[in-house]
Amino acid sequence: PSPRRTDRRLLVQIVPFGGGQKMLISRDITQLEKLETMRQDFIANVSHELRTPLTVVSGFVETVADGLDDLPREDVERFLNLALEQSTRMQRLIEDLLTLSALETGAPAPHEERVDVGDLLRTIAQEAELLSNGRHAITLDLHDDARADILLGSQKELHSAFANLASNAVRYTPAGGSIALAWRSDDDGGEFSVTDDGIGIDARNISRLTERFFRVDKGRSRETGGTGLGLAIVKHIVSRHQAELCIDSAPGKGSRFAVRFPATRLTRRP
Ligand code: ADP
């Protein structure tokens, strides 16, 4: 368990120094211990997330190998496809882990690229359409004044953050629902938002959404191909761009995720 605010941990050492005297050194290791607990939790989570699909893959491969002579062809195909699905899931998890670790430890992002907001948002909308496969009504609202907006930042990172929010909206909104992508800007800065009328999130869970591996409903997240790392990645990217992530949601009604950029990150196409 992580230490409470009042629960400080001190490491006290007695160190001898010249003339038979001794010195008492005390170090506050509360934070260190907390980090160590987080590290252990993280490793346990990663191992669990990889072990589950790996067990499924070996199970199916073994079944196919054992029954190669008598299993009907359709069964072989079905088992192999299920095994493939699980390996794709593992690949996605490893990719997300690498992205997260690069964001946490890597050098500062190339934040001075000029990213055309209109182009980026049209790509995000097309990708959301593909993922939705006709199951949702997806709209893109690029305010007239904002069509020439340019964001100063990393094209790759901004794409990844916006795409993550849009794909969550698709994945957590039942078929028949609506998803609205929008961009607004004024003298104070710009805001990208994704609004859905999907399953929504309970107020007590909202503050935990950007924690690594936190999911409100593990089953649903996995079913729709989630790794539980998307919003942790979004949070890092957003803060690397001095932006802010704002989440409003109500269970059963829907959610709105917005990224607000300061005016210093915004310019216009001449
Ligand atoms: P995941 O891969 O599980 O989607 P994320 O980090 O992207 O991981 O999101 C964390 C959790 O936040 C999800 O598992 C889901 O419970 C919740 N969530 C994210 N976006 C939405 C949304 N638009 N509507 C409802 N719940 C959401």
Side-chain angles (χ1 to χ4, degrees):
S2 52
R4 276 177 285 127
R5 214 171 257 285
T6 49
D7 226 355
R8 303 219 73 86
R9 303 267 294 154
L10 296 179
L11 177 69
V12 180
Q13 285 171 302
I14 299 169
V15 185
F17 75 107
Q21 299 195 57
K22 293 194 175 81
M23 185 167 56
L24 196 67
I25 298 182
S26 136
R27 274 202 304 153
D28 186 339
I29 54 166
T30 320
Q31 199 56 24
L32 259 177
E33 283 202 341
K34 201 172 152 195
L35 282 174
E36 180 55 20
T37 310
M38 277 169 66
R39 198 181 63 85
Q40 284 168 2
D41 283 354
F42 182 64
I43 293 175
N45 270 324
V46 173
S47 315
H48 176 76
E49 295 290 333
L50 284 173
R51 193 174 53 193
T52 315
L54 201 53
T55 311
V56 179
V57 171
S58 7
F60 285 138
V61 172
E62 208 176 308
T63 313
V64 171
D66 286 350
L68 214 48
D69 293 330
D70 9 82
L71 267 180
R73 199 188 151 85
E74 316 73 274
D75 281 355
V76 172
E77 259 177 37
R78 192 162 55 88
F79 288 146
L80 290 181
N81 276 326
L82 287 166
L84 188 64
E85 220 173 79
Q86 295 299 319
S87 8
T88 313
R89 188 174 138 200
M90 285 189 278
Q91 260 167 9
R92 210 168 19 231
L93 177 66
I94 289 168
E95 270 159 31
D96 276 0
L97 281 170
L98 288 173
T99 305
L100 200 57
S101 121
L103 284 169
E104 281 173 354
T105 57
H111 270 183
E112 300 314 324
E113 275 168 18
R114 294 168 62 85
V115 182
D116 186 306
V117 176
D119 285 351
L120 177 59
L121 262 56
R122 277 184 285 270
T123 308
I124 300 290
Q126 278 165 7
E127 289 168 356
E129 291 278 3
L130 274 178
L131 191 63
S132 155
N133 199 14
R135 285 174 297 133
H136 307 91
I138 300 179
T139 53
L140 170 60
D141 175 9
L142 255 177
H143 202 258
D144 266 352
D145 299 342
R147 285 180 196 275
D149 279 347
I150 298 281
L151 264 172
L152 300 173
S154 152
Q155 164 89 31
K156 187 167 159 238
E157 289 184 12
L158 290 171
H159 176 272
S160 157
F162 293 179
N164 251 301
L165 297 178
S167 95
N168 279 352
V170 171
R171 292 168 42 238
Y172 298 106
T173 301
S178 315
I179 293 159
L181 307 175
W183 171 260
R184 288 271 175 286
S185 65
D186 57 27
D187 292 345
D188 295 332
E191 182 192 83
F192 166 71
S193 65
V194 184
T195 310
D196 66 56
D197 58 2
I199 61 173
I201 305 147
D202 214 293
R204 76 194 146 90
N205 285 322
I206 291 185
S207 60
R208 301 199 55 195
L209 294 184
T210 57
E211 283 174 26
R212 299 182 287 200
F213 295 117
F214 179 83
R215 294 135 153 161
V216 177
D217 175 350
K218 279 201 187 328
R220 185 170 186 123
S221 160
R222 292 218 181 90
E223 240 170 64
T224 57
T227 61
L229 296 175
L231 290 178
I233 292 175
V234 171
K235 186 183 103 179
H236 274 286
I237 296 177
V238 165
S239 79
R240 277 154 78 85
H241 288 78
Q242 290 81 43
E244 208 188 335
L245 179 66
C246 310
I247 309 172
D248 288 308
S249 189
K253 295 218 165 75
S255 314
R256 181 176 192 271
F257 285 76
V259 184
R260 292 195 189 133
F261 294 88
T264 47
R265 289 253 157 227
L266 217 57
T267 180
R268 315 209 88 206
R269 222 176 17 226

